[in-house]
Amino acid sequence: MTYDILQHYWWFLIALLGALLVFLMFVQGANSLIFNLGKTTEERKMLINSTGRKWEFTFTTLVTFGGAFFASFPLFYSTSFGGAYWLWMIILFSFVLQAVSYEFQNKLGNFLGPKTFQVCLVINGVLGPLLLGGAVATFFDGSNFIVDKMNLTDGMQPVISHWANASNGLDALLDPWNLVFGLAVFFLARILGVLYTINNVDDSTIRSRANTQLIGNSVVFLVLFLTFFIRTLLKDGFAVDPATGMIVMEPMKYLHNCLNMWYLSVVLLIGVVLLLYGIGRTVFCKNYIKGIWPAGIGVVLVVVVLFLLVGWNNTAYYPSNADLQSSLTIANSSSSLFTLKTMAIVSIFIPFVLAYIVYAWWSIDKKKIDKEEIDHEDAY
């Protein structure tokens, strides 16, 4: 495999991990609705124990996503995680808050009370998807950083990249389009959380409330996502001259990517149809509880395509608004040929890991969450 193929291959794996992370944020979506779906203590316990079975999957995928980025595209990792650290620290803190809240809400000696930790789960359910969505939106809209590899010769401060202002990433939240996409991811997480709850919690009252929530959240998500996506297709994009490596602005770059890589557009359309099918059938067929699966597969396909549109076809996946030529591409930010080759061999084991996850998921979900289990078995 050539260096170029390996770079494209690893960007695909990053895209897949990112897509799986977005799907698994149904945990955050469901947690943001704890007090909307659960009106009694018993109902809230069922909801928390339902997502409590899966929150480790989301957290592990987030860590794996960051680790894979570090190994395959270290310059992005050092630039974004090192420069925009306040944004990432808030995201990570919200996930740590989630883990603590699950484990300690009903522990002896909890003088704060269970409801305090349930509110913390809601906070993670809102901040996690919103801020992660805002961070990913910078792939399309750019961030304020500067890369200078000559700084490696500076014995006092050998830092390749640095943030161009003192916000350290929080300025991403000042861009209204980043917020639009962040809100779209937030409402998408709520849609997935509702679909997961309908599938996993065997309670007619909760399922009825969830169905009502599904309609409103779906409408808001579609408006936000379509607004962001259409604007992205029509706006100028960050193109790379393959001969010189120079970054230039190209009108409707992402629309050109959709047309040039038409097969990705087909996958995108299939993903949208699957998502709408999962939502629509759940809304109109009251006994249908498996909407999480077509919708989840659809979300994975759509997110993978979005990552590929922003990274493939000579596109700068992490543009710099402070210095256009500092923008990162899969060519100028990747690890060495040896590293990518070695990791490509290790990646052969990924299907076996996925098979284990599927088996573990199936084993955990053999029995749906119901009131009897909450009353007679160990519960959060």
Side-chain angles (χ1 to χ4, degrees):
M1 298 178 73
T2 66
Y3 197 19
D4 181 64
I5 290 176
L6 284 168
Q7 289 167 336
H8 283 75
Y9 171 70
W10 272 100
W11 185 254
F12 169 76
L13 291 184
I14 293 296
L16 181 59
L17 285 171
L20 291 174
L21 176 60
V22 173
F23 163 65
L24 290 170
M25 281 199 294
F26 67 76
V27 172
Q28 278 64 44
N31 284 345
S32 72
L33 293 166
I34 288 175
F35 295 103
N36 299 90
L37 301 180
K39 301 299 184 181
T40 66
T41 300
E42 189 175 48
E43 289 173 347
R44 287 193 288 272
K45 275 191 174 183
M46 283 191 286
L47 293 168
I48 292 169
N49 277 268
S50 176
T51 57
R53 293 175 169 184
K54 302 296 191 313
W55 72 267
E56 292 97 336
F57 288 105
T58 310
F59 193 86
T60 302
T61 304
L62 175 63
V63 174
T64 305
F65 176 72
F69 238 136
F70 171 72
S72 53
F73 299 96
L75 188 52
F76 166 80
Y77 192 88
S78 64
T79 300
S80 182
F81 288 76
Y85 59 83
W86 278 121
L87 177 61
W88 289 107
M89 284 298 292
I90 294 173
I91 292 172
L92 291 174
F93 177 76
S94 76
F95 277 89
V96 171
L97 190 65
Q98 174 203 52
V100 172
S101 298
Y102 274 120
E103 298 300 329
F104 286 95
Q105 60 182 290
N106 288 313
K107 293 289 186 182
L108 291 176
N110 172 20
F111 64 91
L112 297 174
K115 193 169 183 179
T116 300
F117 287 104
Q118 291 169 7
V119 170
C120 290
L121 289 177
V122 174
I123 292 172
N124 169 252
V126 174
L127 287 183
L130 177 63
L131 296 183
L132 278 172
V136 171
T138 61
F139 286 10
F140 295 93
D141 296 323
S143 295
N144 293 303
F145 63 90
I146 297 173
V147 175
D148 185 359
K149 294 184 179 180
M150 290 303 295
N151 280 345
L152 281 176
T153 62
D154 186 344
M156 299 297 293
Q157 196 174 10
V159 179
I160 294 178
S161 55
H162 64 274
W163 220 248
N165 55 48
S167 71
N168 293 309
L170 294 180
D171 53 338
L173 303 180
L174 299 178
D175 187 328
W177 288 108
N178 291 347
L179 290 176
V180 167
F181 191 74
L183 287 169
V185 173
F186 167 65
F187 282 101
L188 175 61
R190 286 166 73 98
I191 292 169
L192 295 173
V194 165
L195 292 173
Y196 172 77
T197 299
I198 291 173
N199 176 257
N200 195 249
V201 179
D202 188 9
D203 185 87
S204 58
T205 302
I206 290 178
R207 283 176 172 169
S208 176
R209 292 181 189 139
N211 216 301
T212 302
Q213 286 287 334
L214 182 59
I215 299 172
N217 283 285
S218 298
V219 171
V220 177
F221 162 72
L222 289 173
V223 171
L224 291 170
F225 178 76
L226 289 175
T227 300
F228 180 86
F229 186 66
I230 293 172
R231 176 257 181 182
T232 299
L233 292 180
L234 299 178
K235 83 180 192 76
D236 293 349
F238 302 83
V240 184
D241 185 336
T244 63
M246 296 292 290
I247 313 298
V248 296
M249 300 304 297
E250 179 181 322
M252 295 188 288
K253 169 61 176 172
Y254 302 107
L255 177 59
H256 294 161
N257 284 358
C258 285
L259 297 175
N260 294 336
M261 299 184 289
W262 58 267
Y263 45 90
L264 293 183
S265 299
V266 173
V267 175
L268 178 68
L269 180 60
I270 293 172
V272 171
V273 170
L274 285 172
L275 174 60
L276 294 178
Y277 172 80
I279 295 172
R281 189 171 178 188
T282 302
V283 169
F284 295 108
C285 301
K286 299 303 180 183
N287 295 323
Y288 183 70
I289 64 172
K290 296 182 178 180
I292 182 63
W293 301 119
I297 294 171
V299 166
V300 170
L301 294 178
V302 169
V303 176
V304 165
V305 170
L306 290 179
F307 268 90
L308 297 184
L309 288 177
V310 83
W312 283 4
N313 196 40
N314 299 315
T315 310
Y317 71 83
Y318 197 48
S320 172
N321 294 326
D323 174 28
L324 190 60
Q325 300 312 315
S326 291
S327 301
L328 303 186
T329 71
I330 62 174
N332 68 15
S333 64
S334 69
S335 293
S336 66
L337 175 61
F338 174 78
T339 301
L340 294 184
K341 274 186 176 180
T342 304
M343 293 195 304
I345 296 172
V346 176
S347 71
I348 295 173
F349 295 97
I350 289 177
F352 298 97
V353 175
L354 291 176
Y356 172 76
I357 292 173
V358 170
Y359 173 74
W361 188 298
W362 175 78
S363 299
I364 291 172
D365 276 0
K366 282 183 183 178
K367 186 178 184 302
K368 304 295 184 184
I369 293 285
D370 55 23
K371 293 179 180 179
E372 182 180 355
E373 179 176 348
I374 296 300
D375 292 337
H376 297 95
E377 298 186 22
D378 289 337
Y380 283 110

